[in-house]
Amino acid sequence: MYDVVIVGGGPSGLVSGMFSAETGANTLIVDRKVEIGTPVRCAEGVGRDPLERIGIKPKERWIASKIEGIRLVSPGGIEITAKGSKVLKGKAGYVLERKEFEKYLAEMAIRNGAEIRLRTTVLGAKRENGFVNLKMKCGGRVYYEKARIVIAADGIESRIARELGLPTTLKLKDTESGAQYEMYFEAEDPSLLYFYFGSEIAPGGYAWIFPKGESTANVGIGILQVLSKGRVLDYLDKFLELIGADKRKVIEINVGGIPVSGPIERSYSDNLLVVGDAARHTDPLTGGGIGNGMISGMIAGKIAGVKSQERKTSSKDLKEYEDKWKSEIGKTLERNLKIKEFLLELKDEELDAIAKVIKKKGIEELSVMGILAPVIREHPRLLFRIKDLL
Amino acid sequence: MKIDLEECVRCGTCSGVCPQNAIILTEFEVLVTERCNDCGICEKVCPLGAIEVP
């Protein structure tokens, strides 16, 4: 019997494990893959703020580059660049070397006492007399493992929460299909993150260039398949042509889904907490999942660790988890979901009009509201719906 | 539904949208349980077009 079993060894699961084990709880992290950190399936960007909140100091080993600004490119090609301390206001971020980053998180979890079990899939989960019985498969061997509390950190799939009765099924309209090449690419300014918008380039999403130093970059795209005329890799190849990148210089291909539904209705029940992408804590506007996942993982790990040892594992005992993540990241998630829904309805020409205003007025701060505030002031009527959200 | 395992990279997106929670991924296989009713949602979302539903 484990106090806490965490299903999924991505950033959310590993941070859950770090904090659960730290409380002295007997903690196990299982992952279906053969290696922590791969495949990446992610643009690898993370803000400095969530790292600070979970108490992790940046290490050279897992930082590919420091972000000093952004460039937004509208459907009609209007470029807006914001860079430097005036807009950063301490909010800088990093492009990670995520394979290294996750291994580092795993080391921290292990140092705190957590166990890790790789190439192990959880086939099913059932509640029995106050604990959860997990049916595991490792290679050809099927066996069972018991947990007082399960933390579901199984990412986009989010199958474990559903096995235990919490609905997490994504709708098609809430699922971005993502594809990315890590490739040899010399960005004009490697300290910027580049975002490209438009219904031709990336229907229902955006395309990005996240430089990882002088000559390598993550070049990727997220689209809503329901609004698209083809497959995501075809859109990515077209984007490569647009930016003059050479497909023969690709060194890694990543493919995956990004939940943009906003958080699941309920993220806890008897013996269960749901974190990260599995709880749909991904930012619905940016698609960023690492930061929020680590924050919900930290909260879940602490609570699961303490409560499992106190044998207080009922739904009522675990509600604290939902209250806490809501107070940390709930408001931003809610607001960004509304902004996403608003932007999705805009035509390319309207996005260009907004881009013109932003370009004229300038970006005040590298945040969603820092970008949109000048537009709202200039065109309160055009954007009255966003204004209502403030 | 049929998954072309030569195209599939086990990204799990199909599993996330499956209304029956019928798709289980391991490192090497994709298990489709008898709950699958060929609704076809997974086919629409697969980033690689690796799924075919008759």
Side-chain angles (χ1 to χ4, degrees):
Chain A
M1 171 85 75
Y2 283 92
D3 292 321
V4 180
V5 171
I6 297 150
V7 183
S12 317
L14 293 168
V15 170
S16 301
M18 262 168 64
F19 284 93
S20 168
E22 198 180 35
T23 68
N26 192 4
T27 303
L28 170 69
I29 303 167
V30 297
D31 197 290
R32 66 175 161 88
K33 304 189 302 291
V34 293
E35 183 182 357
I36 293 287
T38 58
V40 169
R41 289 198 210 113
C42 161
E44 302 183 278
V46 70
R48 208 164 71 184
D49 178 60
L51 290 172
E52 277 169 8
R53 274 150 93 174
I54 61 164
I56 287 183
K57 290 209 176 73
K59 296 270 184 297
E60 211 169 293
R61 171 185 158 194
W62 44 259
I63 288 183
S65 70
K66 283 184 189 150
I67 301 161
E68 283 166 27
I70 57 167
R71 176 171 297 165
L72 306 173
V73 183
S74 80
I78 300 164
E79 292 186 358
I80 304 151
T81 308
K83 186 184 170 177
S85 54
K86 219 180 113 197
V87 290
L88 284 170
K89 300 191 171 137
K91 283 199 175 170
Y94 306 99
V95 179
L96 299 171
E97 202 55 72
R98 196 170 144 175
K99 289 167 197 165
E100 286 298 318
F101 180 63
E102 286 189 30
K103 288 204 172 76
Y104 176 83
L105 294 178
E107 285 167 26
M108 306 270 279
I110 292 166
R111 197 171 304 156
N112 287 352
E115 296 171 32
I116 294 184
R117 216 175 281 173
L118 295 177
R119 62 184 206 114
T120 300
T121 299
V122 175
L123 294 177
K126 273 203 184 88
R127 288 190 187 84
E128 288 172 15
N129 310 321
F131 58 86
V132 176
N133 206 2
L134 296 158
K135 187 178 183 184
M136 313 261 210
K137 184 170 191 269
C138 175
R141 196 166 76 91
V142 175
Y143 64 101
Y144 290 84
E145 204 70 80
K146 295 185 180 82
R148 295 189 200 284
I149 295 178
V150 169
I151 298 181
D154 50 339
I156 180 95
E157 296 160 54
S158 197
R159 196 168 48 76
I160 301 308
R162 283 183 282 171
E163 287 282 331
L164 292 168
L166 290 183
T168 64
T169 310
L170 281 168
K171 298 193 176 92
L172 282 180
K173 71 166 185 61
D174 294 326
T175 311
E176 295 271 339
S177 288
Q180 172 177 271
Y181 296 138
E182 183 175 334
M183 61 188 301
Y184 188 93
F185 181 78
E186 290 171 15
E188 189 191 310
D189 181 345
S191 71
L192 298 179
L193 298 182
Y194 298 75
F195 301 89
Y196 291 74
F197 300 89
S199 60
E200 293 293 317
I201 296 171
Y206 64 86
W208 64 80
I209 306 168
F210 283 15
K212 296 177 79 172
E214 297 288 325
S215 56
T216 315
N218 287 333
V219 179
I221 192 165
I223 61 171
L224 282 180
Q225 206 68 69
V226 282
L227 300 177
S228 305
K229 292 187 202 89
R231 289 288 161 188
V232 64
L233 277 174
D234 301 328
Y235 277 94
L236 179 55
D237 289 343
K238 256 202 288 183
F239 179 59
L240 254 55
E241 281 173 31
L242 179 80
I243 60 170
D246 186 343
K247 203 185 162 181
R248 294 169 299 184
K249 296 176 182 174
V250 171
I251 56 172
E252 185 172 324
I253 302 173
N254 307 125
V255 176
I258 307 153
V260 291
S261 57
I264 51 174
E265 202 57 35
R266 195 157 178 266
S267 60
Y268 67 98
S269 72
D270 291 339
N271 316 93
L272 175 69
L273 299 174
V274 193
V275 299
D277 275 21
R280 316 311 186 199
H281 284 169
T282 327
D283 188 311
L285 181 61
T286 65
I290 303 175
N292 285 345
M294 292 194 301
I295 289 169
S296 62
M298 171 179 72
I299 298 166
K302 281 183 189 170
I303 291 173
V306 171
K307 301 280 184 179
S308 61
Q309 293 178 85
E310 291 173 351
R311 308 289 187 262
K312 288 183 175 159
T313 61
S314 74
S315 172
K316 204 176 67 195
D317 297 314
L318 300 177
K319 180 178 181 295
E320 189 188 338
Y321 164 63
E322 184 150 301
D323 297 339
K324 282 205 169 140
W325 74 250
K326 276 193 176 161
S327 82
E328 291 269 334
I329 56 174
K331 274 207 180 109
T332 309
L333 279 170
E334 207 177 307
R335 185 200 66 196
N336 285 2
L337 178 62
K338 286 179 184 164
I339 296 176
K340 180 206 75 168
E341 304 285 342
F342 170 78
L343 289 175
L344 268 180
E345 283 175 28
L346 295 183
K347 296 193 183 77
D348 282 356
E349 304 83 67
E350 292 171 304
L351 284 173
D352 283 330
I354 290 175
K356 267 181 206 151
V357 177
I358 298 174
K359 186 157 178 110
K360 199 172 92 193
K361 297 282 170 183
I363 289 173
E364 294 173 354
E365 190 187 303
L366 285 191
S367 66
V368 170
M369 289 325 295
I371 293 168
L372 289 177
V375 185
I376 292 163
R377 255 179 260 127
E378 180 93 352
H379 291 287
R381 219 180 302 166
L382 172 73
L383 287 175
F384 72 98
R385 290 170 55 194
I386 287 187
K387 199 170 153 232
D388 290 342
L389 310 173
L390 295 180
Chain B
M1 76 85 143
K2 273 200 185 117
I3 300 180
D4 181 346
L5 289 176
E6 289 184 26
E7 287 289 331
C8 170
V9 294
R10 326 284 187 269
C11 76
T13 312
C14 53
S15 175
V17 299
C18 175
Q20 302 300 323
N21 204 15
I23 306 174
I24 304 174
L25 294 105
T26 74
E27 176 68 21
F28 309 105
E29 349 152 68
V30 183
L31 310 169
V32 182
T33 68
E34 71 282 0
R35 281 185 264 182
C36 171
N37 59 7
D38 283 333
C39 73
I41 287 179
C42 54
E43 181 185 27
K44 292 200 181 83
V45 85
C46 176
L48 291 169
I51 300 177
E52 210 178 301
V53 178

